[in-house]
Amino acid sequence: DLEESRRLLAEAGFPNGLKLSMLINQRDPDTLVAQVLQQQLAEVGIEVEIDAPDRSGLSAILAADQWDVFQGRVNVPRADPDHMYGLTYGRTATSQNFARIKDDELFDEVDAGRMAVVQSERKAHYLRVQNILHDKSYYAFMFFREVRHVARKELKNLTVDVGGAWDLAQVWLEA
């Protein structure tokens, strides 16, 4: 809704639009997604400059907070909710806490979810975490892309770690 978006921008104090820098990983499909967002946001008056440094430059820019918007991607689902919530939204989350969140209510729920041993209690805490994230809009998730692992049947002992990456340490190709 372009008109509603323009109205909300004006209400937020940007009646003439605004300019933002978007930091992204230099890889596909991230580059393509950023270009689509750039084009869509321009339609409501948000000018986006895409900054796509190589991986080593990206880390330095993130650490120095020299960006307005960061587009990242996360491999989900994980084996345990804390693999996502603890690393990204937890009290001690430093490297993944891109929004620099300082929210004791959120931290308390992440901690409680991590410490609970009864599954229904953990679920309740993580549901509250999701509600806090939704209500406060620290992050905006654009879409979910399913991960599909494809390999030749001759590739043996292939496993995937909790983050979704292939563990190739014990892999072999059967002739």
Side-chain angles (χ1 to χ4, degrees):
D1 186 336
L2 299 177
E3 287 307 314
E4 179 68 2
S5 297
R6 289 183 191 107
R7 186 191 71 72
L8 290 170
L9 270 172
E11 184 180 302
F14 302 99
N16 300 317
L18 71 146
K19 294 181 181 183
L20 298 172
S21 66
M22 179 187 293
L23 182 62
I24 68 168
N25 281 302
Q26 189 181 79
R27 63 184 178 199
D28 282 323
D30 298 32
T31 305
L32 180 59
V33 170
Q35 291 168 344
V36 169
L37 290 172
Q38 180 184 48
Q39 182 179 4
Q40 290 176 336
L41 291 170
E43 292 181 36
V44 296
I46 300 174
E47 183 182 326
V48 176
E49 179 183 328
I50 298 171
D51 185 8
D54 63 22
R55 176 127 359 235
S56 63
L58 178 78
S59 298
I61 295 168
L62 277 171
D65 288 333
Q66 296 174 338
W67 51 278
D68 297 315
V69 176
F70 173 63
Q71 174 192 303
R73 71 172 123 152
V74 179
N75 295 330
V76 291
R78 302 275 176 105
D80 186 284
D82 192 58
H83 295 161
M84 176 66 188
Y85 294 130
L87 287 173
T88 308
Y89 313 112
R91 191 178 310 278
T92 59
T94 54
S95 64
Q96 300 283 330
N97 185 359
F98 301 121
R100 305 297 188 252
I101 298 169
K102 293 180 172 92
D103 184 327
D104 285 327
E105 178 188 16
L106 178 63
F107 295 158
D108 290 346
E109 288 299 334
V110 171
D111 290 344
R114 178 183 298 132
M115 300 302 292
V117 293
V118 176
Q119 187 174 9
S120 61
E121 291 175 17
R122 293 188 86 216
K123 182 177 180 179
H125 289 295
Y126 289 128
L127 180 59
R128 285 193 286 277
V129 167
Q130 289 178 6
N131 287 333
I132 292 167
L133 293 172
H134 177 269
D135 294 345
K136 296 186 178 180
S137 300
Y138 290 124
Y139 290 79
F141 294 93
M142 305 306 289
F143 60 89
F144 178 79
R145 188 180 80 188
E146 236 181 288
V147 175
R148 297 187 186 262
H149 299 284
V150 178
R152 291 174 37 184
K153 64 183 177 185
E154 295 87 3
L155 190 62
K156 302 298 180 184
N157 206 39
L158 178 64
T159 58
V160 178
D161 72 15
V162 297
W166 287 12
D167 180 359
L168 302 174
Q170 304 295 319
V171 172
W172 74 90
L173 196 57
E174 190 173 77

